[in-house]
Amino acid sequence: PTSTAMSDDARDADAARRIKIYTKTGDEGASCLYNTERRDKDDGAFAALGDVDECNVACGIAREFCVDAGNGLEGELLEIQSRLLDVGSAVATPLTTSSETMVKRAEFSYAHVERLEGWIDAHDAALPPLTNFLTPSGGKSSVFLHQARAVCRRAERSCVPLTRDGAVPSVVRVYLNRLSDYFFTAARRAAAFEGRAEEIYKKASS
């Protein structure tokens, strides 16, 4: 009986720690930002959050192919996935309606931009000069990194009006802009690692 009681207590404690998957609070088409402000789900902040989340998924898919290829990019991509969650926190904590404490907690450092720039420069230095427009190509890792780049551009566009209105810090927009450049360079690096050709744009003959 004693061991059973302890097991029940442990189950209760575990249940208390768990995050409930569904809450039903969004069934009417509204949800809460990190600062608990409630908005309709078609609000610009939620549109940006969705695009950033999709970018993270695209990055994760590309990372899995990079793991399979053994091209060494998976560590950078894993770190980027965490930073994209930080981007989401910044977007979900509007500067215009959040407390100083919450804004500080969701602060996004420019050091993350500089880290991307360091990776871009290192990868670019190992690649032949770019002399033509490229089509997404060069193997699965490369193509999925290009897809992540395209989704990242959309996430950036979604954040532009939020930064313009002062709701989201401009460093978030800068990070996403630089991240798309990173994905492009990483895609080229992945193709080079696998010895795959990057297909160039060819103008129609007529």
Side-chain angles (χ1 to χ4, degrees):
T2 303
S3 61
T4 302
M6 290 176 63
S7 177
D8 289 342
D9 289 343
R11 277 199 297 272
D12 290 342
D14 182 63
R17 285 193 301 267
R18 286 178 178 270
I19 298 174
K20 193 169 179 63
I21 300 300
Y22 60 91
T23 63
K24 303 183 181 181
T25 59
D27 289 354
E28 299 302 317
S31 189
C32 283
L33 296 173
Y34 173 62
N35 66 357
T36 72
E37 180 184 355
R38 198 158 189 82
R39 297 188 184 184
D40 289 340
K41 289 186 177 181
D42 58 358
D43 182 86
F46 286 120
L49 285 170
D51 289 337
V52 170
D53 185 30
E54 189 175 345
C55 182
N56 206 335
V57 172
C59 182
I61 294 171
R63 183 174 64 83
E64 291 299 326
F65 280 104
C66 289
V67 169
D68 291 344
N71 58 28
L73 294 171
E74 63 270 15
E76 294 173 3
L77 295 173
L78 185 61
E79 183 174 328
I80 286 168
Q81 287 189 274
S82 288
R83 296 296 73 77
L84 284 170
L85 288 174
D86 292 338
V87 166
S89 294
V91 172
T93 312
L95 301 175
T96 48
T97 57
S98 301
S99 69
E100 185 177 340
T101 300
M102 283 190 167
V103 169
K104 184 66 176 175
R105 190 175 298 169
E107 186 176 12
F108 194 84
S109 172
Y110 196 86
H112 302 318
V113 177
E114 294 172 335
R115 188 156 176 80
L116 286 180
E117 290 172 345
W119 290 342
I120 292 168
D121 291 342
H123 292 316
D124 188 57
L127 292 167
L130 187 63
T131 58
N132 295 285
F133 289 113
L134 300 175
T135 63
S137 54
K140 292 178 181 178
S141 297
S142 178
V143 167
F144 278 103
L145 284 163
H146 277 297
Q147 183 184 43
R149 170 185 58 79
V151 177
C152 185
R153 286 294 192 193
R154 172 151 45 85
E156 179 192 356
R157 290 193 297 272
S158 295
C159 286
V160 165
L162 302 179
T163 59
R164 184 190 302 127
D165 294 343
V168 173
S170 60
V171 65
V172 166
R173 181 191 66 235
V174 175
Y175 182 82
L176 292 172
N177 185 37
R178 207 70 80 253
L179 181 57
S180 62
D181 294 332
Y182 168 84
F183 283 137
F184 177 81
T185 310
R188 296 196 67 213
R189 192 70 190 272
F193 178 84
E194 295 183 36
R196 300 289 298 270
E198 295 178 282
E199 302 296 337
I200 65 170
Y201 159 78
K202 295 177 182 177
K203 189 175 178 61
S205 57
S206 58

